[in-house]
Amino acid sequence: MNNNLIVIVGAGPAGLSAAIQAAEAGAKVVLIDENQKPGGQLFKQIHKFFGSKAHKAGVRGVDIGRQLLEETESQGVEVHLGYPVYGVYPDGRVVYGSAEGVRSIQADRVILATGAIENNLCFEGSTLPGVMTAGAAQTMINEHRVLPGKNVVMIGSGNVGLIISYQLMQAGATVRALVEAAPAIGGYAVHAAKLKRSAVPIYLSHTVNRVWGDGKVEKVELIALDEHFNKIEGTEEVLDADTVCMAVGLTPMVELASLAGCRLTENGTLGGMVPLHDENMRTSNPIYYVAGDIAGVEEASTAIEEGRLAGIAAAESLGLSNEKTAEKKQAVRDNLAALRSGAFGQRRFLAKEEMVKEFYREAEV
């Protein structure tokens, strides 16, 4: 081969960041995404990022997406949108659909930035129209300008549930309740404070017991949970609502990594099964690298940094490096350590550290 061709699957924040760094290093980069426009989740995120200036604090996700797109275009990356990837092979061959039919491309390196899929809950009435994931609701209001309902019950108090609840209110909906199975709110206090100031009822140690209505959501029954997450009979409370949104976590999309022969490992802290990878985001198949939520569910800022690291490292493995390469990788690792240094990130930092150790233990075997 020796074409220094890097194919990146997924044009979200991780994929775009990887493309920029790989192209800047001198690789020929092809970026493929099944969606009609790049940017992944960034173009649904109208809120300002939280954290430090180095990690885009104070900048809205949609604006970060535009910045990444401009950088990608300036680097001459070949972008294919609306092209679903059907499969990958251990030798680096990528098979995808196009307007002309099924095509394949032989890559020297592949970076998988396929993201994660939202989790769902099953309860009586969960198949009724009006029950959806929080991400679906966010897509409706922020991309399509369609309000999914007027009276919403949000399940889950992580950052996703908190942020999207507030965005639904900005769009004109009333959040009738925020429901959390745990005894404490899971997301940042700065996001929770917005809901508290708006007098949104927050039900801790509760869940949705059932939903019913005439062909659509009309009533939502909540029920309290004990310390073992068992339902406490007799604590039911019924709310009038036409929409139930579920913000109950994400699961990494590892199907392509599995097809490529990348070794997977179970890590509950990072969302479930994830591709085992080293400190350079390289998997057990040295042709393949991973970045973003496929490598462990975290924040968009972390996905950007992991994408940068994967892009630099993949290009380096093809001989495209210079005296600043090691310095650039270390700077990214320092950024990742800073992002994972807080109360919410420390567990992920330790999980990533253990993953790297596991990678080398497996390599020795």
Side-chain angles (χ1 to χ4, degrees), residues 11 18 20 102 107 112 120 133 190 213 266 276 294 299 319 329-330:
I20 292 165
V102 178
L112 298 176
N120 287 275
T133 64
V190 67
E266 175 70 31
L276 199 60
I294 183 180
E299 303 292 338
K329 288 198 299 181
Q330 188 56 51

Side-chain angles (χ1 to χ4, degrees), residues 194-268:
K194 294 179 180 179
L195 300 187
K196 291 178 179 178
R197 287 196 297 268
S198 301
V200 172
I202 298 176
Y203 291 78
L204 300 177
S205 297
H206 276 73
T207 191
V208 169
N209 192 37
R210 63 189 179 112
V211 172
W212 70 94
D214 185 12
K216 60 183 179 180
V217 174
E218 293 178 349
K219 301 286 185 180
V220 179
E221 183 178 84
L222 309 183
I223 190 167
L225 303 173
D226 64 20
E227 64 271 23
H228 301 295
F229 298 98
N230 296 313
K231 295 177 181 179
I232 303 174
E233 300 299 330
T235 62
E236 296 85 354
E237 180 177 347
V238 178
L239 302 177
D240 292 323
D242 55 21
T243 307
V244 176
C245 295
M246 296 174 286
V248 291
L250 302 167
T251 297
M253 296 180 68
V254 299
E255 294 84 356
L256 292 182
S258 180
L259 285 175
C262 304
R263 189 182 297 275
L264 305 179
T265 186
E266 175 70 31
N267 193 307

Side-chain angles (χ1 to χ4, degrees), residues 53-303:
K53 185 176 181 181
H55 301 134
K56 309 290 186 181
V59 183
R60 298 185 189 279
V62 62
D63 294 325
I64 295 172
R66 292 194 186 103
Q67 292 171 12
L68 291 174
L69 279 175
E70 289 172 3
E71 290 184 62
T72 302
E73 291 168 356
S74 70
Q75 292 294 338
V77 174
E78 182 181 330
V79 181
H80 295 294
L81 299 176
Y83 286 16
V85 172
Y86 296 134
V88 295
Y89 289 78
D91 64 357
R93 184 155 56 100
V94 178
V95 180
Y96 61 95
S98 70
E100 294 76 31
V102 178
R103 290 183 171 183
S104 70
I105 185 171
Q106 184 67 54
D108 295 289
R109 297 291 183 270
V110 179
I111 300 174
L112 298 176
T114 50
I117 189 169
E118 290 184 278
N119 297 333
N120 287 275
L121 292 178
C122 290
F123 46 82
E124 185 180 337
S126 61
T127 59
L128 279 175
V131 179
M132 66 189 72
T133 64
Q138 189 181 41
T139 299
M140 292 175 72
I141 57 175
N142 292 348
E143 289 199 48
H144 303 299
R145 304 296 190 266
V146 174
L147 191 65
K150 294 182 178 179
N151 295 287
V152 180
V153 172
M154 177 68 70
I155 307 175
S157 71
N159 287 328
V160 171
L162 297 173
I163 290 170
I164 296 177
S165 290
Y166 190 70
Q167 290 177 358
L168 282 163
M169 294 167 61
Q170 289 178 305
T174 297
V175 178
R176 298 299 312 278
L178 179 76
V179 184
E180 171 58 56
I185 289 173
Y188 292 134
V190 67
H191 299 315
K194 294 179 180 179
L195 300 187
K196 291 178 179 178
R197 287 196 297 268
S198 301
V200 172
I202 298 176
Y203 291 78
L204 300 177
S205 297
H206 276 73
T207 191
V208 169
N209 192 37
R210 63 189 179 112
V211 172
W212 70 94
D214 185 12
K216 60 183 179 180
V217 174
E218 293 178 349
K219 301 286 185 180
V220 179
E221 183 178 84
L222 309 183
I223 190 167
L225 303 173
D226 64 20
E227 64 271 23
H228 301 295
F229 298 98
N230 296 313
K231 295 177 181 179
I232 303 174
E233 300 299 330
T235 62
E236 296 85 354
E237 180 177 347
V238 178
L239 302 177
D240 292 323
D242 55 21
T243 307
V244 176
C245 295
M246 296 174 286
V248 291
L250 302 167
T251 297
M253 296 180 68
V254 299
E255 294 84 356
L256 292 182
S258 180
L259 285 175
C262 304
R263 189 182 297 275
L264 305 179
T265 186
E266 175 70 31
N267 193 307
T269 300
L270 298 175
M273 296 298 293
V274 292
L276 199 60
H277 59 274
D278 68 7
E279 72 277 8
N280 286 319
M281 309 308 296
R282 178 178 61 120
T283 72
S284 59
N285 180 338
I287 293 175
Y288 283 82
Y289 290 70
V290 290
D293 282 348
I294 183 180
V297 176
E298 298 185 78
E299 303 292 338
S301 297
T302 307

Side-chain angles (χ1 to χ4, degrees), residues 304-326:
I304 290 171
E305 295 295 347
E306 284 193 343
R308 295 182 65 221
L309 181 57
I312 295 168
E316 181 185 32
S317 72
L318 294 172
L320 301 173
S321 60
N322 55 42
E323 66 279 0
K324 293 186 178 180
T325 299

